[in-house]
């Protein structure tokens, strides 16, 4: 039976649940088929980036977050998550830039704290 758009919505929602249940690899598997069918779906890519990050697959997470930001340069969460990815990968100079962009786009207290505007970094 061919996959329908409804199947992809169900897979996306199930992937959200798997990520919430701390099964990021399961979420990635479901999202792979959604993204194969709908490569332009930024929400699915952002969810897959989060799943890659949660699975400590930092390079794939980085690539997905960057793709999301190419499409949505004003996505504060994507900047923040990419910064966390860089931070976890030991690339603080890249992290600082994206923490600051996130804070500039959205004055969320977590973003502002991470941006460390009061430091020289």
């Amino acid at each position: 039976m061919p996959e329908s758009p409804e199947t992809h919505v169900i897979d996306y929602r199930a992937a959200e649940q798997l990520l919430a249940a701390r099964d990021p690899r399961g979420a990635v598997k479901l999202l792979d088929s959604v993204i194969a069918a709908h490569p332009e779906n930024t929400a699915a890519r952002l969810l897959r980036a989060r799943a890659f990050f949660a699975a400590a697959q930092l390079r794939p997470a980085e690539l997905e977050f960057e793709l999301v930001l190419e499409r949505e340069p004003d996505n504060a969460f994507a900047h923040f998550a990419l910064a966390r990815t860089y931070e976890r990968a030991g690339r603080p100079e890249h992290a600082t830039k994206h923490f600051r962009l996130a804070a500039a786009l959205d004055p969320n207290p977590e973003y502002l704290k991470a941006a460390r505007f009061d430091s020289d970094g």
Side-chain angles (χ1 to χ4, degrees), residues 39-104:
E40 74 291 347
N41 187 316
T42 305
R45 290 193 174 274
L46 185 58
L47 186 59
R48 186 164 71 169
R50 290 177 48 218
F52 280 137
F53 180 84
Q57 295 179 9
L58 301 181
R59 184 63 181 149
E62 177 185 333
L63 293 172
E64 286 290 351
F65 285 128
E66 287 174 347
L67 196 144
V68 168
L69 287 169
E70 283 176 19
R71 297 174 182 180
E72 297 179 2
D74 60 346
N75 186 321
F77 175 79
H79 280 289
F80 181 77
L82 179 58
R84 285 280 183 234
T85 304
Y86 285 139
E87 184 178 63
R88 199 167 169 190
R91 297 165 63 194
E93 67 288 349
H94 294 307
T96 299
K97 171 186 169 187
H98 287 280
F99 280 137
R100 290 181 176 182
L101 283 166

